[in-house]
Each structure stands twice: as C-alpha cells, then as structure tokens.
Amino acid sequence: MTTEILIIGAGPAGTIAAAYLHKQGFKVTIIEKTKFPRFVIGESLLPLSMDHFKEVDLLECLEKQNFEVKSGARFIRGKEICLFDFSKKYTKGADWTWQVPRADFDKTLADEVEKRGVEIFYEHEVIEVSFNEDSSSVTKFRDKEGNIKEISARFIVDASGYGQVLPRLLDLEVPSTLPKHSSIFTHLKDVKRPNGKEGTLISFDIVKPDVWLWVIPFSNGNTSIGFAGPTEFINSYKGTNEEVLREMLKMSDYYYERFADVEFSFEPHKLLNYSTASKQLYGKGYVLTGNSAEFLDPVFSSGVAFATTSSLLAAKLIDRTLRDEKVDWEKEYTQHIKHGVDVFKSYINEWYNTNLQKLFFHQPENPDVKEKICSVLAGYVWDETNPFVKKHDRVVSSMVHMLNNE
Ligand code: FAD
C-alpha cells in the first residue's frame, strides 16, 4: 500500500491534519487502533480550537451535533466563586466552544474527513516504522485478526495520543517536568441537574489546594465528573474505582448532594501519571502532534486546543516541505509549539502552588487582569500583546506579591 501522508490516530489531532492536507490535494491515510465511537477523556474544549475547525471546514459538521455550549468556566473554592466569561477576554477570536462527549465528537470529525476521501483503517495498530534515506517511510500495522500489512508514505504525522507511537518506537520519550499527577473519572446520568445555567455550567471545584473535581455537563443529559491531583493522594484511597470516586465526592460540599446516589455510566477509569513529553517534536519524515508530543495537565482544558494547534501547524509545514519549500522546522514548529506549552506550564505551576487561585478569588476583582487571564484560559497563549502571555513566567507571582502587600 502507498500513501502520501500517513496519520497515526483518528483523534482531533489526526483528523484536523487530515482535513488540511487532504484539502491541499494530498492522498491521506489514517491508521486507528480502535473502532469508533470510542471513549476518551478530554471533554471541555477551548475557544481557540474553534478557529482551527473553521479554517479546515470542520465547524459545520460539529455544529449539527448540538453539543453543550461552553461560554466560560467557573472555579469554586468552598463558598467562593470565580466566573470567567469568554466574551470578556482580551484577545480577539472565538468566544465560545463546546463541552463534548469525545466518543461522539471524535467520530463526527473522523466521519467527515472520511466522507471527503481520507482513508481510515479502524482496528489497525501501528507496530513498526522504518525511514528511508530520502525520509520516506515504511510502516507496519496489524489488523484485528493479527495480519501484518505495510504502507509506505512520504510523511508521517504521529497523532497517536497516549499511544505515543513514534516516541516509543524511536526512543524519544522523556519524563514530564511537571509533578506526578493522576486522575479518576466517569460519566453519570445527571438526574438531579438543576435547571438553567447552574445545571450546565462547566465547573472546577477545588477540594484541596492541589486536588480538584471537574463537572462537565453534556447536552445529552449526562455529565462527566473526575478528580485530578497528586498521584500519591489519588492512590491513598483504597477499594474499587467506583468506591474510590464515591468516597472522594464527599470532599465536594458544592456537588455531593447532586451526585452522591446517582448511578455511574461505567466503572470509573483511573489514569496514573498522565503528563507526557518527548525529546524532540519532529525528525526527517515525521512530526509529533497533540498528546503524542506533550500533555501537561487537565486543569485548564488545554489538551485538545494543543492538539488542534500543533496538528494544523504541522500540516501546513508538511505541505510546504513536500512542495520543496524551505521550512525551518526547529523555529517554525518546535519553538512555536514550545512557547505555548511554556505559557500553559507557568499557569499550571502557579495553579498548584496556589498563587493563581489567590488571584482568581481575590476581591474586589480586577476586570483588567481578569480579561487577560481569560484569554489564556480560552487558549490564546500565543498572543504576545497580552502581558499575561508575554510575562507568563512571573506575572502571576508578582501580582500575588502585590496583593499580599496591600
Ligand atoms: P487522542 O484523542 O488520544 O487520539 C489518539 C488516537 O490514536 C486514539 O484514538 C488511539 O486509539 C490512536 N492510537 C494510539 N496508538 C495507536 C497505534 N499504535 N496505532 C494506531 N492508532 C493508535 N483536554 C481538553 O482539551 N479538555 C479537557 O477537559 C481535558 N481533560 C482531560 C482530563 C484528563 C484526566 C486527562 C488525562 C486529559 C485531559 N485532556 C483534556 C487531554 C486530552 O485527553 C488530550 O489532550 C486529547 O485527547 C489529545 O488528542 P489527540 O488527538 O492528540 O489524542
């Protein structure tokens, strides 16, 4: 078999790259290990991704699904509430997005690119890749009966998420520089959901300085709940995953009543030490995008936005590379991507050392500070005109220092 662009994985990173490259006239093939629809975590999107879906004509198929609209986010700490409204953000760009069951969301995207002519092999797993002198490649993959097949390609996009296919095969995995954090989560039929905005607002309930509960209501009446925190803390609970999650729910004064006796849709999943990183993001004939390249932490819902940003950029650079244009992958890809990662990393660190929480809940609110942080929370971490992006490594701690000395 032969293709021009081989994409490993049909998650959002895979399908957005497929949509762009197919539109440029390339033959694109996706190899996907599972059968869709399949469950994956990562259900709260950021407005930034809307710009990307629009650019590759994928917004319309998503709009038809009537996913729950997300126009901001709420942070809760005991009786304190901090509400962000994306329409009041500093950077221009989309000011809303969706809360999505990923099984449906990812299938919608995959079906749409397949309809346009991208070939998708479901239930096929990439197991081996070798590169030729001219940077083309031969990839071995296995179908569910165990038959081994081969496909040659001019370029590979590794969008395999936690599969981290090329980092594993090419020995590119490195430990994340973030502390080891883990998560436990499920879906439930939200039978006690209050009417109106209170019922559908995405919320993060801080139950301990470094442990938080997410509540992501979907338009189908189900809600995703999950805790994230230090691995040691998550592992300190004993019992089945359901027993652990039910016990942890007792920490949430805000949500306990709503979820206590409600049946879970499936046995909760536990994901230990979820942060990922890789030594390099590209090489001759391949690029890593989305989670395969890096995953930080779910606290600001940046995963899918990072997946769409990195994959769309990678697709544009592949297009130019294969048309023999000069591309400086280090500068145009790695440095650009790393910049956004570094901004999010600063905010994640400031979250877990509680500086950011102090800023969020400080009264009275400072609308100027809030609209700039709101841009970061909407995913606009490449907007250097925003001082909260430009000085990401020190702005939060300086603000908190000032507040402490007020
Ligand atoms: P994926 O969506 O994981 O897709 C990768 C695909 O590759 C999969 O379908 C897989 O089956 C396939 N694959 C793997 N190995 C192979 C192989 N060998 N051969 C062929 N195919 C293969 N992000 C958000 O934006 N919002 C959130 O609210 C959010 N919450 C999160 C909560 C937790 C606890 C965690 C851990 C993460 C969360 N994320 C969130 C991150 C989000 O899950 C990921 O960033 C996002 O799914 C990455 O998309 P992707 O396309 O890179 O990978």
Side-chain angles (χ1 to χ4, degrees):
M1 264 188 273
T2 304
T3 192
E4 287 187 287
I5 317 289
L6 177 68
I7 299 179
I8 311 174
T15 46
I16 205 147
Y20 184 86
L21 287 161
H22 180 263
K23 201 173 166 185
Q24 307 313 310
F26 290 102
K27 178 171 166 50
V28 181
T29 305
I30 301 181
I31 298 182
E32 164 56 51
K33 190 168 148 184
T34 65
K35 184 176 171 194
F36 276 25
R38 57 91 178 88
F39 173 83
V40 69
I41 198 64
E43 298 145 332
S44 146
L45 308 185
L46 297 187
L48 176 71
S49 288
M50 304 301 263
D51 302 342
H52 303 147
F53 294 129
K54 193 166 178 200
E55 189 174 340
V56 296
D57 307 321
L58 285 172
L59 205 51
E60 207 179 311
C61 66
L62 294 171
E63 273 165 352
K64 288 187 188 141
Q65 307 307 311
N66 292 318
F67 293 125
E68 190 64 49
V69 168
K70 174 184 169 189
S71 52
R74 175 171 66 174
F75 294 85
I76 302 169
R77 189 174 65 178
K79 297 210 171 345
E80 299 168 293
I81 303 274
C82 171
L83 195 62
F84 284 95
D85 175 349
F86 292 140
S87 69
K88 295 189 182 126
K89 66 174 166 33
Y90 167 83
T91 307
K92 286 200 173 54
D95 56 12
W96 65 279
T97 182
W98 288 295
Q99 297 155 200
V100 297
R102 284 284 303 279
D104 301 339
F105 179 79
D106 290 16
K107 184 166 177 359
T108 303
L109 293 172
D111 285 352
E112 179 64 24
V113 297
E114 196 172 30
K115 204 167 77 190
R116 292 180 194 174
V118 171
E119 193 170 24
I120 307 183
F121 290 93
Y122 287 104
E123 297 184 274
H124 284 74
E125 180 181 7
V126 169
I127 49 171
E128 210 178 297
V129 180
S130 58
F131 290 92
N132 304 316
E133 268 298 298
D134 65 354
S135 73
S136 65
S137 55
V138 178
T139 295
K140 282 193 181 160
F141 59 110
R142 185 169 43 211
D143 68 16
K144 64 176 178 182
E145 280 82 38
N147 303 310
I148 308 290
K149 302 170 185 172
E150 278 190 2
I151 186 163
S152 50
R154 293 176 71 192
F155 214 100
I156 299 181
V157 178
D158 181 5
S160 61
Y162 281 109
Q164 283 209 296
V165 172
L166 288 188
R168 274 190 298 106
L169 294 176
L170 305 179
D171 200 17
L172 305 176
E173 284 171 294
V174 286
S176 168
T177 53
L178 290 172
K180 287 192 184 333
H181 279 198
S182 297
S183 182
I184 181 161
F185 45 86
T186 191
H187 288 177
L188 46 79
K189 190 121 207 99
D190 201 356
V191 287
K192 291 194 247 168
R193 182 184 284 184
N195 290 330
K197 201 74 196 146
E198 172 60 30
T200 54
L201 194 59
I202 179 171
S203 301
F204 301 87
D205 186 8
I206 305 159
V207 295
K208 280 172 157 293
D210 54 359
V211 181
W212 51 278
L213 162 70
W214 77 71
V215 176
I216 307 177
F218 301 134
S219 57
N220 62 10
N222 293 342
T223 288
S224 167
I225 61 163
F227 283 90
T231 299
E232 231 171 58
F233 179 79
I234 304 277
N235 276 342
S236 67
Y237 284 78
K238 301 292 169 228
T240 63
N241 285 356
E242 169 152 3
E243 285 162 355
V244 169
L245 187 49
R246 290 209 182 272
E247 189 59 30
M248 290 183 83
L249 273 173
K250 292 181 183 160
M251 290 189 290
S252 171
D253 292 339
Y254 202 93
Y255 283 108
Y256 184 67
E257 277 298 304
R258 177 162 156 191
F259 300 136
D261 309 313
V262 176
E263 203 181 319
F264 292 164
S265 306
F266 49 84
E267 177 71 6
H269 294 238
K270 211 187 237 186
L271 200 47
L272 297 178
N273 304 326
Y274 46 58
S275 306
T276 61
S278 332
K279 230 182 271 178
Q280 62 192 60
L281 300 188
Y282 69 94
K284 262 184 112 177
Y286 75 87
V287 61
L288 314 180
T289 70
N291 262 31
S292 183
E294 177 118 28
F295 176 66
L296 297 170
D297 192 278
V299 68
F300 301 124
S301 309
S302 56
V304 172
F306 175 68
T308 57
T309 305
S310 55
S311 250
L312 185 55
L313 175 60
K316 288 175 183 174
L317 298 178
I318 292 169
D319 177 32
R320 285 174 44 205
T321 300
L322 295 186
R323 292 183 199 287
D324 289 331
E325 272 183 44
K326 191 163 168 35
V327 173
D328 183 344
W329 277 87
E330 189 56 31
K331 187 162 168 232
E332 295 182 63
Y333 191 67
T334 301
Q335 285 178 20
H336 183 80
I337 290 301
K338 286 279 179 204
H339 173 74
V341 167
D342 286 347
V343 176
F344 270 123
K345 207 181 264 183
S346 296
Y347 279 82
I348 289 163
N349 283 326
E350 296 287 18
W351 174 265
Y352 285 107
N353 72 20
T354 71
N355 274 337
L356 197 56
Q357 298 176 30
K358 284 181 195 136
L359 206 54
F360 277 16
F361 295 109
H362 184 265
Q363 291 294 335
E365 285 184 341
N366 179 332
D368 184 52
V369 168
K370 209 165 169 192
E371 66 167 28
K372 292 184 172 113
I373 293 182
C374 191
S375 281
V376 172
L377 299 187
Y380 292 90
V381 291
W382 283 273
D383 176 9
E384 288 280 323
T385 68
N386 182 353
F388 277 72
V389 168
K390 199 170 169 62
K391 300 180 201 160
H392 63 90
D393 52 343
R394 52 194 186 282
V395 67
V396 174
S397 53
S398 325
M399 292 286 311
V400 170
H401 186 72
M402 267 162 43
L403 294 179
N404 286 341
N405 292 327
E406 260 178 6

